[in-house]
Amino acid sequence: LHRIHRVYRHIYYRKAVALLALGRHHHAALAAYQGLELDPSNSELQQLLRTCVSDGRKAFREAKERVKK
């Protein structure tokens, strides 16, 4: 069972990285969170989730500024 969790955790990590590269910050954060549900102490997934949220906030602010112009 532990091996299966490791495999799924890695799949969620890869999914989050791919979604982040596509600019789909919300979905990337959800994938990272799903991986963390399997392994809450995984520092790579924790950092990836922080990056998704941070990049998503930045993208939101930039979009908001473009609308104002």
Side-chain angles (χ1 to χ4, degrees):
L1 185 63
H2 183 66
R3 180 172 161 70
I4 292 172
H5 280 194
R6 283 193 337 217
V7 170
Y8 282 132
R9 176 191 67 211
H10 193 66
I11 290 170
Y12 284 121
Y13 180 86
R14 286 183 176 185
K15 180 179 179 180
V17 169
L19 288 166
L20 190 58
L22 293 171
R24 296 177 63 191
H25 305 98
H26 175 77
H27 292 100
L30 286 174
Y33 182 80
Q34 288 172 317
L36 282 169
E37 286 182 318
L38 297 175
D39 185 5
S41 63
N42 185 288
S43 61
E44 288 180 321
L45 282 167
Q46 291 171 355
Q47 179 58 43
L48 182 56
L49 179 57
R50 285 191 290 271
T51 299
C52 293
V53 171
S54 173
D55 288 1
R57 286 179 178 159
K58 181 180 176 187
F60 178 77
R61 283 192 302 271
E62 290 171 356
K64 194 174 170 182
E65 287 299 315
R66 282 193 303 270
V67 170
K68 284 183 180 180
K69 292 180 180 181

